[in-house]
Amino acid sequence: MLGVVSDIPTLIQQVDCLVLSSLWEGLPMAILEAGSYALPVISTPVGAIPNLLENDCGYLSTTAQFSNTLDFVTDN
């Protein structure tokens, strides 16, 4: 956990995907930021997230299926 950070572009360029395993969300800025860098997103289908990740813009997954989804994203 990094806490509050200000250099988001540098961090995003160092990762393969964004994983958001929240049980409750509204409209998470982290997903919008990841999308602006074409970073694959794996998230639970809560709040407005399904609307953000529709049309093949990300991967919706239950927490039980996260490891399978992560394997798929990293392998492809």
Side-chain angles (χ1 to χ4, degrees):
M1 301 300 226
L2 299 176
V4 177
V5 295
S6 60
D7 197 10
I8 301 299
T10 301
L11 292 173
I12 287 179
Q13 293 171 6
Q14 296 175 10
V15 299
D16 295 318
C17 65
L18 171 71
V19 176
L20 188 67
S21 59
S22 297
L23 298 177
W24 301 276
E25 279 292 342
L27 180 63
M29 287 298 296
I31 288 180
L32 299 174
E33 290 171 338
S36 71
Y37 287 88
L39 186 67
V41 175
I42 303 168
S43 180
T44 49
V46 296
I49 295 171
N51 295 328
L52 292 173
L53 300 184
E54 65 187 6
N55 301 323
D56 298 326
C57 292
Y59 303 88
L60 294 174
S61 179
T62 63
T63 53
Q65 292 295 320
F66 258 62
S67 62
N68 293 338
T69 306
L70 281 167
D71 287 341
F72 175 80
V73 171
T74 57
D75 290 345
N76 295 293

